Amino acid sequence: MWKRTDHQPKIKAGDGPQVGQFKELGSSQESAMPHPLELSEFQSFLVFEDISHHIKEVGAQMVKKVNAIFQLDITKNGKTILQRTIDLKNGSGDMYPGSARLPADTVFTIPESVFMELFLGKMNPQKAFLAGKFKVSGKVLLGQKLERVFKDWAKC
């Protein structure tokens, strides 16, 4: 789905910060997040870091097209392990750790394994949603705009 062709970081099982190296900051659920985190719990961390850099480069253009705030809650074993907000509604766009500072238009609750399969293009997002692989609350149809953002990011 969001497979990046040329400068996609080499993400594979076991990649990520070393145990105890990364601490989720700015999250209202910080105390609910497991510490120290196991390496396998943060494959998605590298993905978010790369997307964040992309938003800094072309965020203003994305704000004009998307006009929405997305919150992504990445889970493992039913607990949130990583939370990111993608604000493509205000200023020149931003991505930051934690829950949305302003009300999110759409909130995705996605198990990390499903997120990685979606990211690597191994799973269709619409089929995964309809099969109940992840949850969406708020304006569900805005999910298509987020998918477009990730596809644009993958082209860079």
Side-chain angles (χ1 to χ4, degrees):
M1 172 178 116
W2 304 316
K3 191 185 290 186
R4 191 162 187 177
T5 54
D6 57 346
H7 23 337
Q8 176 179 349
K10 303 295 184 212
I11 299 171
K12 58 184 184 277
D15 277 355
Q18 299 300 315
V19 173
Q21 179 182 2
F22 176 77
K23 182 177 180 183
E24 181 76 5
L25 300 174
S27 172
S28 61
Q29 295 185 2
E30 183 173 85
S31 61
M33 302 217 183
H35 295 288
L37 297 167
E38 296 178 10
L39 295 176
S40 63
E41 291 179 328
F42 272 88
Q43 295 175 34
S44 56
F45 176 77
L46 296 174
V47 173
F48 284 124
E49 286 298 301
D50 202 33
I51 293 169
S52 179
H53 292 295
H54 180 66
I55 289 173
K56 287 177 183 168
E57 293 172 7
V58 296
Q61 298 160 0
M62 286 192 254
V63 167
K64 291 176 185 176
K65 292 179 185 177
V66 178
N67 192 33
I69 299 174
F70 303 100
Q71 180 177 310
L72 292 98
D73 297 340
I74 306 300
T75 65
K76 185 160 189 165
N77 298 325
K79 295 182 182 180
T80 301
I81 60 167
L82 188 64
Q83 190 176 56
R84 289 288 183 270
T85 298
I86 301 174
D87 183 345
L88 297 175
K89 192 177 216 175
N90 302 292
S92 59
D94 193 13
M95 180 174 187
Y96 53 87
S99 60
R101 295 174 189 144
L102 297 171
D105 295 295
T106 309
V107 177
F108 297 89
T109 304
I110 309 174
E112 186 180 41
S113 59
V114 173
F115 176 79
M116 292 307 298
E117 287 187 40
L118 291 168
F119 170 75
L120 295 171
K122 295 180 179 179
M123 188 180 295
N124 177 290
Q126 287 81 18
K127 288 181 182 177
F129 172 68
L130 293 173
K133 302 256 183 200
F134 64 92
K135 297 177 184 175
V136 181
S137 60
K139 299 176 182 175
V140 177
L141 293 178
L142 284 177
Q144 294 174 341
K145 286 189 176 187
L146 183 62
E147 181 181 357
R148 172 74 54 211
V149 167
F150 286 138
K151 284 181 179 180
D152 289 346
W153 163 78
K155 291 177 186 177
C156 315

